[in-house]
Amino acid sequence: MDKLVFAGIDGIVILSVFAVVMLVIGYFSGRGEKNIHESLSGYYLAGKNLGFIALFFTLFATQYSGNTIVGYAPTAYRTGFSWLQSISFMTIIIGVYLLFAPRLYVIAKKRNFVTPTDWLQHRFNSKGITLLAIFLMLWGLGNYLLEQLVAIGQAVSGMTGGTIPYQLAVLVFVIVMLAYEWMGGMKAVAFTDVMQGIVLLIGIIAFVIGGVYLAGGSFTEITQYIATNEPAKISVPAAEVNINWFSMLILVGLGASIYPHAIQRIYAARSERTLKKSFARMAWMPLITTGLVFIVGIIGISLFPGLEGGDSEQLVGLMANEIAAINPFFYWIMIIFFGGIVAAIVSTADSVLLSFSSLISNDVYGKFINPNASEHRKVMVGKIIGIVAIFGLLWIAWNPPGTLYEIFVLKFELLVQVFPAFVLGLYWKRLNGKPVFWGMVMGAILAGILTFTGNKTIYGIHGGVIGLALNFVICVVGSYLAAPSVKKDPMLEEDMNAVNL
Amino acid sequence: MKKEIKEPIRKKWIWIGLVIILLGNVPWYFSEAMVEPFIFGFPFWGFIILVFSVILSAYLSWLCLTQWSIVEDEEEAKGKEV
């Protein structure tokens, strides 16, 4: 994304303004609330009291990261109309939430859960499952965080024309993020998400308007151009593409909804009404987010034909340059838009980091190392390990990997293996701990092997989905073969009959 | 008064509906010639997929608002007392 025409001092000004706004929001969300630092649910779940606006924007800004724009537009550019799938696979996440969120919300409120692991522990009471799930979730979160750190550096150094070098850029925004997170926990994360989400939305909409204007004002002409020059990008997708499309629906739908930070937003909702209203709005967001980004990529085909591989990754920067040149209004909108991309990345990274810390505080430290510690101490341990982890990841981030989309699929492969335990466990009383454990192990191993042997997909089906299928089979068959557990936990019985509450 | 509990998982029609919409939302059922006619700049097949995407959003949004109510009444009642 280098050589932006508006890179330089204007970019630095906008980024500095954003950084200051984030810090101010963080300061005010933490001020006067002692509870935030004294209790796990205060710090990690904003006291389980997020209202509609904050909850909606934190769901939105967390789920849509900078990669959704910077990575997806080039994918649409390269693959053409089959990238319409990015609308479907972001929408289906809400459908998967509907499978488990309603009941999970009720149980989590009642039993005061802080992390997803709390539910697994409550349901299976097995050290093996708890540890394995913690490992898979920390792995997924760590990988995701790493990806965001790399992206922050690329976006900021691109936007400032290299005036702020890549490494310094990452460092500055990491410190800003750590500062407001330290001050206000989830509350700061959610409130900054409101600002970050709004900036992102305005930016995308302006970007599409500018893009269509540049391409001659007519989307029909753009596709006519594609039909004449690159008909493959407009043709009906081949069977393997369609299989891959279905596979993406499963992988992203199940994976994104089971992300620890996604689960924790269910816990953090003030009320059921707030939660379902937020989800109802979220169901529309893919159309105006990934949908518009898809349009950007398609417009790019006619504006900048012939970009290959790595060059196509520069698409958003190339287009932003042209749009900024239209007139001063678009110039400033583009600067804000690029600030918005940075904000979007930060808003994802902060939520992931917070979730990472909560798993350390509540699960690793609080369940295994020092269960009797005060909540204040648990929160402190999570905060500090979170910072250590960030700098460990930064060290890796100095060598950024190639295409962004590749890492995006990778992290889901393992994380999604927690899904059967999590969701089957909510409804199926016969589901037994042992097969759940082995299902997770075998599913993760199979997914890992397939990925590392270069078989990321087989006939278009992702390794993670194949691992997940094996995992489900082991859970179901194993539970039928195992004797139904003799010991019955009355509290659990009550929860699983959910609705005598 | 007996409260009415609505939980999506227990309503089979919700999931049958969802599967049908998803089947419509992946372009496996088009023949190669269905690129034309172009509608609003979209190839015919792409336009149909877009329509199904809108249906999917509308369906899920509507389900959230109308088919999900477990503790809402209690919570809202409590909220008013405070």
Side-chain angles (χ1 to χ4, degrees):
Chain A
M1 212 184 306
D2 39 19
K3 288 179 247 133
L4 293 176
V5 290
F6 48 88
I9 192 71
D10 293 338
I12 296 175
V13 168
I14 286 288
L15 283 177
S16 309
V17 170
F18 280 8
V20 170
V21 172
M22 289 178 208
L23 285 172
V24 170
I25 294 175
Y27 173 73
F28 280 103
S29 31
R31 205 179 61 149
E33 296 235 14
K34 278 211 186 94
N35 189 29
I36 280 189
H37 304 279
E38 301 306 322
S39 91
L40 288 165
S41 74
Y43 184 73
Y44 291 118
L45 302 175
K48 304 196 173 190
N49 197 25
L50 285 184
F52 169 64
I53 302 274
L55 186 65
F56 167 73
F57 275 106
T58 193
L59 281 165
F60 173 67
T62 301
Q63 198 163 86
Y64 296 84
S65 70
N67 296 343
T68 317
I69 301 156
V70 183
Y72 283 14
T75 313
Y77 176 91
R78 288 192 299 265
T79 58
F81 274 75
S82 65
W83 194 241
L84 276 169
Q85 64 182 267
S86 63
I87 304 176
S88 334
F89 69 62
M90 292 309 272
T91 316
I92 194 60
I93 298 170
I94 301 299
V96 180
Y97 272 134
L98 275 179
L99 266 180
F100 67 88
R103 188 174 298 198
L104 184 64
Y105 167 80
V106 178
I107 302 177
K109 272 271 149 110
K110 206 164 143 196
R111 305 292 174 213
N112 209 10
F113 292 162
V114 175
T115 59
T117 328
D118 283 338
W119 161 240
L120 294 176
Q121 167 111 343
H122 183 56
R123 172 66 176 81
F124 298 105
N125 196 18
S126 142
K127 265 196 183 151
I129 293 178
T130 305
L131 276 172
L132 182 59
I134 293 174
F135 171 76
L136 292 175
M137 288 191 282
L138 284 178
W139 179 290
L141 288 175
N143 208 342
Y144 199 15
L145 195 51
L146 176 63
E147 173 190 312
Q148 302 305 318
L149 293 178
V150 172
I152 292 175
Q154 288 172 343
V156 177
S157 69
M159 192 179 163
T160 59
T163 319
I164 299 181
Y166 170 77
Q167 299 185 346
L168 183 66
V170 181
L171 217 52
V172 168
F173 271 91
V174 161
I175 290 169
V176 168
M177 182 177 91
L178 287 173
Y180 72 72
E181 198 156 306
W182 184 282
M183 291 187 284
M186 169 72 113
K187 212 171 155 197
V189 167
F191 288 174
T192 48
D193 280 345
V194 176
M195 164 243 172
Q196 290 152 344
I198 291 172
V199 173
L200 182 66
L201 265 182
I202 295 173
I204 296 178
I205 291 167
F207 201 103
V208 173
I209 294 172
V212 173
Y213 172 82
L214 276 184
S218 153
F219 191 65
T220 314
E221 278 170 32
I222 295 168
T223 42
Q224 279 308 327
Y225 172 88
I226 299 171
T228 321
N229 295 288
E230 301 202 51
K233 290 182 179 171
I234 214 160
S235 62
V236 176
E240 191 168 326
V241 176
N242 290 327
I243 294 171
N244 187 258
W245 188 320
F246 275 117
S247 178
M248 274 302 269
L249 288 177
I250 296 173
L251 190 67
V252 178
L254 304 195
S257 61
I258 206 82
Y259 258 139
H261 51 266
I263 300 280
Q264 285 176 310
R265 274 156 182 71
I266 300 173
Y267 296 176
R270 177 181 294 160
S271 68
E272 187 175 281
R273 178 177 288 183
T274 320
L275 185 61
K276 66 190 202 185
K277 263 170 69 185
S278 303
F279 281 158
R281 299 293 188 286
M282 278 292 286
W284 291 103
M285 296 318 279
L287 287 165
I288 55 170
T289 318
T290 44
L292 293 184
V293 171
F294 160 79
I295 301 280
V296 168
I298 296 297
I299 297 170
I301 300 176
S302 78
L303 283 182
F304 303 97
L307 302 178
E308 307 272 342
D311 286 341
S312 67
E313 294 291 332
Q314 308 291 322
L315 179 70
V316 173
L318 290 170
M319 274 178 80
N321 275 342
E322 303 268 326
I323 294 171
I326 299 175
N327 63 31
F329 173 75
F330 273 108
Y331 174 85
W332 280 101
I333 287 279
M334 280 306 102
I335 295 179
I336 293 174
F337 171 62
F338 265 75
I341 292 179
V342 175
I345 304 169
V346 174
S347 71
T348 303
D350 63 4
S351 312
V352 175
L353 173 66
L354 191 73
S355 200
F356 189 95
S357 292
S358 75
L359 281 155
I360 301 288
S361 282
N362 183 67
D363 299 342
V364 179
Y365 187 72
K367 285 192 172 68
F368 293 99
I369 298 176
N370 188 359
N372 297 321
S374 69
E375 296 215 355
H376 175 79
R377 192 180 165 84
K378 287 180 188 168
V379 169
M380 206 38 115
V381 167
K383 280 177 165 181
I384 290 168
I385 304 275
I387 294 175
V388 173
I390 277 271
F391 284 97
L393 288 170
L394 273 182
W395 187 79
I396 304 173
W398 299 151
N399 307 299
T403 312
L404 295 169
Y405 173 74
E406 302 288 319
I407 346 173
F408 172 71
V409 174
L410 248 181
K411 62 191 183 284
F412 277 139
E413 314 273 327
L414 296 180
L415 186 78
V416 79
Q417 306 305 331
V418 183
F419 192 85
F422 211 86
V423 177
L424 269 185
L426 267 177
Y427 302 108
W428 194 33
K429 289 185 194 162
R430 193 170 176 137
L431 186 66
N432 185 298
K434 279 220 174 76
V436 163
F437 177 81
W438 287 108
M440 257 198 263
V441 171
M442 299 312 288
I445 289 178
L446 180 59
I449 289 176
L450 286 172
T451 306
F452 288 116
T453 52
N455 295 296
K456 237 178 60 168
T457 60
I458 293 179
Y459 298 112
I461 304 173
H462 295 92
V465 174
I466 298 171
L468 184 66
L470 175 68
N471 184 344
F472 262 112
V473 170
I474 294 174
C475 284
V476 172
V477 174
S479 295
Y480 272 119
L481 293 179
S485 66
V486 189
K487 202 186 98 223
K488 284 199 171 158
D489 174 355
M491 198 194 266
L492 189 61
E493 283 282 307
E494 185 191 323
D495 289 344
M496 292 192 63
N497 292 325
V499 209
N500 37 22
L501 300 151
Chain B
M1 194 181 79
K2 200 173 172 291
K3 62 176 178 175
E4 196 196 354
I5 286 174
K6 293 185 188 167
E7 195 182 18
I9 187 91
R10 297 200 257 181
K11 303 185 179 204
K12 221 180 250 169
W13 62 265
I14 288 182
W15 306 102
I16 296 171
L18 187 60
V19 168
I20 292 172
I21 295 172
L22 287 181
L23 285 175
N25 200 11
V26 180
W28 56 274
Y29 50 89
F30 293 100
S31 74
E32 274 177 34
M34 290 181 171
V35 172
E36 291 191 30
F38 283 86
I39 305 171
F40 301 121
F42 278 70
F44 177 73
W45 72 267
F47 185 75
I48 300 296
I49 296 306
L50 185 66
V51 169
F52 270 104
S53 300
V54 175
I55 294 173
L56 181 65
S57 292
Y59 184 63
L60 290 174
S61 184
W62 175 78
L63 288 178
C64 285
L65 292 176
T66 62
Q67 303 304 316
W68 168 6
S69 173
I70 300 178
V71 289
E72 184 174 357
D73 296 344
E74 275 170 54
E75 285 181 337
E76 297 303 315
K78 244 187 244 166
K80 274 173 200 145
E81 281 164 27
V82 176

